[in-house]
Amino acid sequence: MKPKSSPCNGGGTIISFSVGNRLPYSVPLLDLPGKVHQVDVDLRDGDHTIASPEFELGTFKLNGLKTIMGRLRFGYSYDSKNQVITVCGTDYASAADEAAPHQDWNYNTQLMPGVAKIFREIARQANDAFIAALVEAQIYMVRVRSNLSDLQIDDYLNLCVVTSADGQFLGSYDPAAEYEEGVKINPLDSVYNGTTVVPAGTFFANVIGSDGDPKVRGLSWIELWRQMVNGGQQPVACTSYNFNGFACGPVDRGGHIIPGTVARPIPNGSDVYIFPICAAHNNNDNVYMSAITYQTAVWLKNYMGR
């Protein structure tokens, strides 16, 4: 079932997607015939935790037939004015279980091998389908929280910056340097927060004054985008390749960008985004760009915040 969206008479937007176990599973105690259901989510402004209506998954066959029901529960944050929605990615660390069983039913037994995996996959596929439906709906910005991998101590130190006793920025932490008394080693200013998907053709512009923004994990910004967005592959062209007749060169920058058509400085602590762009675009604050080659950016939080 293709995800879709539609306006709601009450002022929200209905996002529709499918959920269920697509492949049948059957053992003497349990029958999951492969039911798929449509779930509708009415997006409303603000922070929300929602639970879907119950949907049928199958039948438990012990002491009579008992219907097995499932229900989705997840959260989102929606800024309807700016058309920005924030959700958790499927692999994002969460305090909630991916698939929470009924307190009176233990399906982690040898009598139902693999069922826990099936229920976990139902939850994960539903989250993926929800995100895909949001992207399909052409919401201006879909921000998906995700995690960097666990860091070794050397990598952790690369996430730190150094400030003087009076708060002056001294640069990224250098384990070989000798610092004066009173300096502070702080967590990295801009930290990876996930990815952001925008519709094709979305306009964006440079962040003026971003050269001093420290790097995540000691990586160059374009390497961070390559690892977290592009499966480790190098970008093939500038995101705004030849837009409006602009002559692009080789793509070799991970540019700090903001939505809109005007390049400008932004306050410390703001959200910024990283797209792969060419040096010519990166060095020209008099033009704006368009998401042509790529529509997924790295999302950074706490820009230059110290």
Side-chain angles (χ1 to χ4, degrees):
M1 182 180 296
K2 185 177 180 180
K4 60 182 180 179
S5 69
S6 60
C8 175
N9 292 334
T13 298
I14 300 295
I15 300 294
S16 300
F17 59 97
S18 59
V19 57
N21 56 310
R22 290 167 172 78
L23 298 177
Y25 171 94
S26 183
V27 293
L29 284 181
L30 183 65
D31 183 34
L32 304 176
K35 294 179 179 290
V36 177
H37 306 271
Q38 178 173 297
V39 172
D40 295 334
V41 177
D42 181 8
L43 293 185
R44 296 289 174 170
D45 196 63
D47 299 332
H48 298 278
T49 299
I50 61 175
S52 73
E54 290 188 341
F55 48 86
E56 184 177 344
L57 291 172
T59 305
F60 184 58
K61 299 177 288 186
L62 181 65
N63 298 326
L65 300 180
K66 298 179 181 179
T67 302
I68 299 173
M69 306 297 291
R71 182 169 60 187
L72 296 175
R73 186 175 182 271
F74 52 89
Y76 69 87
S77 178
Y78 186 40
D79 176 356
S80 59
K81 179 180 179 181
N82 295 305
Q83 282 283 289
V84 176
I85 188 164
T86 303
V87 296
C88 291
T90 301
D91 293 319
Y92 186 67
S94 172
D97 292 334
E98 290 178 318
H102 191 280
Q103 61 182 2
D104 297 326
W105 182 42
N106 177 21
Y107 51 69
N108 291 289
T109 74
Q110 294 179 349
L111 298 176
M112 293 176 284
V115 171
K117 177 178 175 59
I118 291 174
F119 289 158
R120 184 166 57 250
E121 285 303 308
I122 290 173
R124 294 171 65 86
Q125 290 172 8
N127 197 66
D128 287 340
F130 178 49
I131 294 172
L134 293 171
V135 173
E136 180 82 12
Q138 294 286 288
I139 292 175
Y140 181 65
M141 187 174 285
V142 179
R143 305 196 303 189
V144 182
R145 297 186 186 278
S146 61
N147 298 308
L148 285 169
S149 57
D150 292 336
L151 302 176
Q152 301 295 324
I153 186 61
D154 289 345
D155 294 323
Y156 173 79
L157 291 175
N158 282 333
L159 291 170
C160 300
V161 295
V162 180
T163 54
S164 64
D166 60 0
Q168 182 180 357
F169 176 59
L170 300 179
S172 298
Y173 176 72
D174 180 358
E178 295 184 4
Y179 295 106
E180 297 180 357
E181 185 177 353
V183 300
K184 294 182 179 180
I185 301 174
N186 305 287
L188 181 69
D189 296 354
S190 286
V191 295
Y192 177 83
N193 206 29
T195 59
T196 296
V197 183
V198 298
T202 296
F203 296 149
F204 60 92
N206 283 326
V207 174
I208 296 177
S210 63
D211 289 346
D213 195 26
K215 301 175 178 63
V216 174
R217 296 171 60 184
L219 302 175
S220 73
W221 292 120
I222 196 168
E223 287 175 340
L224 181 66
W225 180 89
R226 179 173 60 84
Q227 288 191 16
M228 305 311 299
V229 173
N230 211 38
Q233 300 299 310
Q234 294 289 351
V236 297
C238 177
T239 296
S240 186
Y241 185 68
N242 290 351
F243 174 64
N244 275 349
F246 190 89
C248 287
V251 55
D252 60 358
R253 299 287 191 278
H256 288 62
I257 63 94
I258 49 176
T261 59
V262 179
R264 58 183 173 85
I266 60 173
N268 291 355
S270 300
D271 289 334
V272 297
Y273 307 94
I274 301 291
F275 266 130
I277 59 177
C278 63
H281 267 126
N282 192 64
N283 296 327
N284 191 334
D285 295 332
N286 297 315
V287 299
Y288 62 92
M289 293 165 274
S290 177
I292 296 173
T293 311
Y294 300 103
Q295 286 81 51
T296 303
V298 164
W299 169 25
L300 302 176
K301 63 181 179 180
N302 195 27
Y303 168 75
M304 297 290 283
R306 289 188 283 277

